[in-house]
Amino acid sequence: FFVRTPAGYDADPAKRWPVLFFLHGSGGGARMESVQTSGPQEPARTRSDFPFIVVSLRSPGGWFPPAVKDVMDEVEAKYRIDVDREY
């Protein structure tokens, strides 16, 4: 998975941020580059006012819900997430 934090993330260590988990469609599959630049990563990368932590997951063979939950748990532990605003 690939995580992009918004501009200003490091400015306020007390601030909690909303997070957007993006599970792409079948295109791109095993290519990590595809999830780093497509979907919500595009505005997160190009817009300085994009207010979300964006987590893009890749899966070359379909989604396994327990694995997705593992990623969510890891992101919640490593980043300052507002758990009431997970999308």
Side-chain angles (χ1 to χ4, degrees), residues 50-70:
F50 198 76
F52 293 90
I53 294 171
V54 180
V55 182
S56 295
L57 292 83
R58 69 175 179 90
S59 175
W63 295 107
F64 183 60
V68 173
K69 178 66 170 123
D70 288 346

Side-chain angles (χ1 to χ4, degrees), residues 17 24 45:
W17 293 84
H24 66 81
R45 182 172 54 84

Side-chain angles (χ1 to χ4, degrees), residues 29-62:
R31 292 189 349 257
M32 183 54 105
E33 299 82 22
S34 67
V35 299
Q36 292 176 332
T37 58
S38 62
Q41 289 293 347
E42 176 64 22
R45 182 172 54 84
T46 60
R47 291 185 43 195
S48 62
D49 64 339
F50 198 76
F52 293 90
I53 294 171
V54 180
V55 182
S56 295
L57 292 83
R58 69 175 179 90
S59 175

